[in-house]
Amino acid sequence: MVSPSNTPTIDKKNILFVTLGCAKNEVDTDRMRALLFAQGFSEVDTPNEADIVLINTCSFLASATEESIETTLQIAEGASHGVRSLPIVMCGCVPSRYGSKLPEELPEVAAFVRADEEDGIVEVVSEVLGIERTPQSVIAAHGMLRTVEGASAYVKISDGCDRFCAFCAIPYIRGHYQSRPADEILSEVSSLMEGGVREIILIGQDTGIWGNDIAETNTGEVPTLAWLMRQVAQVVRPYNGWVRVLYLQPEGMTDELISTIRDTPECLPYIDIPIQHCSERVLARMGRSGSAPELRSLFDRLRREIPGMVLRTTGMCGFPGETEEESDELYDFIQEQEFDYTSVFTYSPEEGTAGASMPNQVPDEIKMERTQRLIDLVEELGFAGTARHVGERCEVIIDGIEDTDEGFELIGHAWFQAPDCDGAVHIANGEARVGDIVLCDLVDSFCYEIIGEIVGEKNR
């Protein structure tokens, strides 16, 4: 071991964080950032300022894996052209999925950290830089797990997945489903609210089944997502905060959850249910349950019991064996339901998944045609859904302030807009800080964007 007298100190050791993929990766990066901050590391914005780069990768689709590797190689190439050594640590889904293959294929990377190893990031970074580190137990004593500065924060309530859908590699990357303990979640929510956050967004691979693997709560109650949302609502209530939940599967919409979303003011009537398809035959081949009549019944019930709610979903085009008639069925169903927001994916045959080895793979050109046709539809529906909010008066959380050609503009989002997903509210006149909640008249819209005018006092 190198003696302390000859070992570089952590002082002024700067890290560039690069996060690819979904909001769950953003949470994982922030946790690693907090652990490193607690040990004296600092964050910078460019490779030129960094002593080391931490790349949190995505491998949900082949295209995401390619982007992760390309980003890594671009940073490595930029550093070598600048004749400057810049160690790279690759974290997350790509190391989790490809493991032992990576060191030989990516010699530019100094260390690989799987998703389940990320709590040891301080040791990895310290070893790569050749510096002394504080034992991990001291880091834990800090209790410093998040560094969120914005108005909204994603909070992971689970990891892994047990569904093994034929198109998805997540169970192979993240492992079996595991609910996060309620006391950890509530402690994190409390800390975030005290730090200025005003919206908590609960996320996981399958949020609706949270608690199924927990015997009971500390108070002896049956742990369910609905119960957890009510507990989170109590924490955010003194701050006038919001609670939003994403990634619900149709089977997760229980009576208890529906009534909780309807009857708990802090819980937003914004429901995200990725259906993927509506054809019973396609869903069965995907390893999923359901049919168009069953989904129609669910959405009819939600609209009946939660008036004025917003619905987001996901559709997948070109799954193996999908016929032209089944593609039309998905198109017609989404047109009929008039979802407020719909994400559209082209099926990608992911290595190791059941779908990749299925017969009757749909040709790429046909998949792209079906995808573009559905995108055109959902944009038409989404733009119209956004326009329907014009004329409303509602609260808007301020997310940032932008300097435009016309001057400074406040950027925020309303209850019917998930941050970073569904557009924003643009406010040209008025004063507010990030995290303020302002009352606005919504006066115009363009695409998924809304024009707002402040009419009420701000609060924080």
Side-chain angles (χ1 to χ4, degrees):
M1 178 179 292
V2 180
S3 66
S5 59
N6 295 324
T7 303
T9 64
I10 292 179
D11 293 342
K12 299 183 179 178
K13 290 298 180 182
N14 298 323
I15 303 179
L16 171 65
F17 295 92
V18 178
T19 304
L20 305 170
C22 66
K24 293 180 285 294
N25 269 12
E26 294 285 353
V27 175
D28 291 342
T29 295
D30 192 56
R31 181 180 177 87
M32 289 188 284
R33 180 189 290 113
L35 291 169
L36 289 160
F37 281 7
Q39 290 299 288
F41 291 92
S42 300
E43 181 175 10
V44 292
D45 297 325
T46 67
N48 289 338
E49 303 171 276
D51 296 298
I52 190 169
V53 179
L54 190 154
I55 303 176
N56 196 4
T57 59
C58 177
S59 191
F60 177 59
L61 300 174
S63 57
T65 301
E66 292 170 5
E67 180 189 12
S68 296
I69 293 173
E70 287 173 4
T71 300
T72 301
L73 295 177
Q74 286 171 1
I75 291 174
E77 182 180 5
S80 63
H81 285 176
V83 194
R84 179 173 180 270
S85 175
L86 185 59
I88 296 173
V89 176
M90 177 182 279
C91 304
C93 293
V94 172
S96 297
R97 185 171 184 179
Y98 296 103
S100 59
K101 300 178 183 178
L102 293 176
E104 183 177 346
E105 296 182 4
L106 288 173
E108 298 86 354
V109 177
F112 298 92
V113 180
R114 298 196 313 265
D116 60 358
E117 299 173 334
E118 289 173 349
D119 278 358
I121 192 64
V122 171
E123 180 175 5
V124 173
V125 170
S126 299
E127 183 175 343
V128 168
L129 291 176
I131 58 180
E132 286 291 322
R133 63 182 182 87
T134 303
Q136 200 76 7
S137 59
V138 176
I139 298 173
H142 271 264
M144 185 178 182
L145 298 177
R146 301 300 300 272
T147 65
V148 173
E149 295 181 353
S152 300
Y154 293 97
V155 174
K156 282 178 65 172
I157 65 171
S158 66
D159 209 348
C161 185
D162 290 333
R163 286 185 175 271
F164 289 91
C165 296
F167 55 82
C168 183
I170 290 298
Y172 308 103
I173 298 171
R174 294 280 180 171
H176 287 290
Y177 190 90
Q178 185 174 7
S179 298
R180 187 179 175 199
D183 56 349
E184 286 187 14
I185 297 169
L186 297 174
S187 176
E188 182 172 328
V189 169
S190 178
S191 176
L192 289 167
M193 300 305 290
E194 290 174 4
V197 167
R198 291 298 169 263
E199 177 182 20
I200 296 297
I201 307 167
L202 304 178
I203 57 172
Q205 307 298 341
D206 187 353
T207 51
I209 64 170
W210 180 89
N212 282 8
D213 53 344
I214 299 175
E216 61 181 24
T217 69
N218 292 335
T219 57
E221 297 173 274
V222 177
T224 63
L225 175 63
W227 174 86
L228 179 65
M229 291 182 69
R230 293 193 297 272
Q231 304 309 303
V232 173
Q234 291 181 24
V235 176
V236 308
R237 189 167 297 148
Y239 304 91
N240 193 28
W242 299 351
V243 181
R244 190 188 306 269
V245 61
L246 301 182
Y247 314 129
L248 290 160
Q249 299 298 328
E251 301 88 342
M253 293 308 305
T254 63
D255 293 348
E256 182 191 20
L257 183 57
I258 292 172
S259 63
T260 294
I261 293 173
R262 181 190 63 222
D263 301 333
T264 310
E266 294 78 16
C267 295
L268 301 178
Y270 176 107
I271 299 178
D272 171 42
I273 302 179
I275 62 170
Q276 309 303 348
H277 216 285
C278 65
S279 161
E280 184 173 9
R281 192 186 78 91
V282 173
L283 287 168
R285 285 172 62 83
M286 288 179 169
R288 298 169 66 86
S289 60
S291 64
E294 290 172 353
L295 291 170
R296 185 176 293 112
S297 175
L298 170 63
F299 294 131
D300 286 349
R301 180 190 177 193
L302 291 176
R303 291 187 174 100
R304 183 173 63 251
E305 297 198 22
I306 311 176
M309 71 167 184
V310 158
L311 273 172
R312 164 177 272 284
T313 194
T314 301
M316 178 177 291
C317 299
F319 188 78
E322 182 193 52
T323 65
E324 197 68 39
E325 291 75 17
E326 288 164 338
S327 175
D328 290 344
E329 184 180 0
L330 176 61
Y331 182 97
D332 292 343
F333 183 82
I334 288 179
Q335 185 175 44
E336 165 204 301
Q337 291 298 313
E338 295 186 334
F339 295 104
D340 297 272
Y341 306 103
T342 304
S343 296
V344 179
F345 289 95
T346 304
Y347 169 73
S348 172
E350 295 302 306
E351 179 183 349
T353 63
S357 60
M358 284 182 176
N360 301 317
Q361 297 283 327
V362 179
D364 288 346
E365 62 271 19
I366 295 178
K367 288 194 291 188
M368 295 308 297
E369 288 174 3
R370 294 176 183 176
T371 299
Q372 189 57 56
R373 184 174 74 132
L374 194 56
I375 288 174
D376 291 343
L377 171 66
V378 302
E379 286 187 345
E380 177 184 339
L381 295 174
F383 296 169
T386 300
R388 283 195 291 271
H389 292 287
V390 172
E392 295 178 359
R393 176 173 290 184
C394 66
E395 290 184 335
V396 172
I397 292 181
I398 302 301
D399 300 306
I401 302 172
E402 290 188 1
D403 188 2
T404 70
D405 293 340
E406 288 75 31
F408 288 100
E409 178 179 83
L410 300 173
I411 307 295
H413 69 279
W415 68 269
F416 55 84
Q417 298 169 311
D420 305 320
C421 296
D422 303 334
V425 177
H426 302 255
I427 304 169
N429 298 306
E431 294 184 1
R433 300 169 298 170
V434 172
D436 285 349
I437 302 175
V438 298
L439 189 63
C440 284
D441 282 341
L442 308 182
V443 299
D444 201 358
S445 70
F446 57 98
C447 298
Y448 289 110
E449 311 300 304
I450 292 274
I451 304 299
E453 295 179 351
I454 295 178
V455 296
E457 292 294 325
K458 66 186 180 183
N459 62 76
R460 191 170 176 83

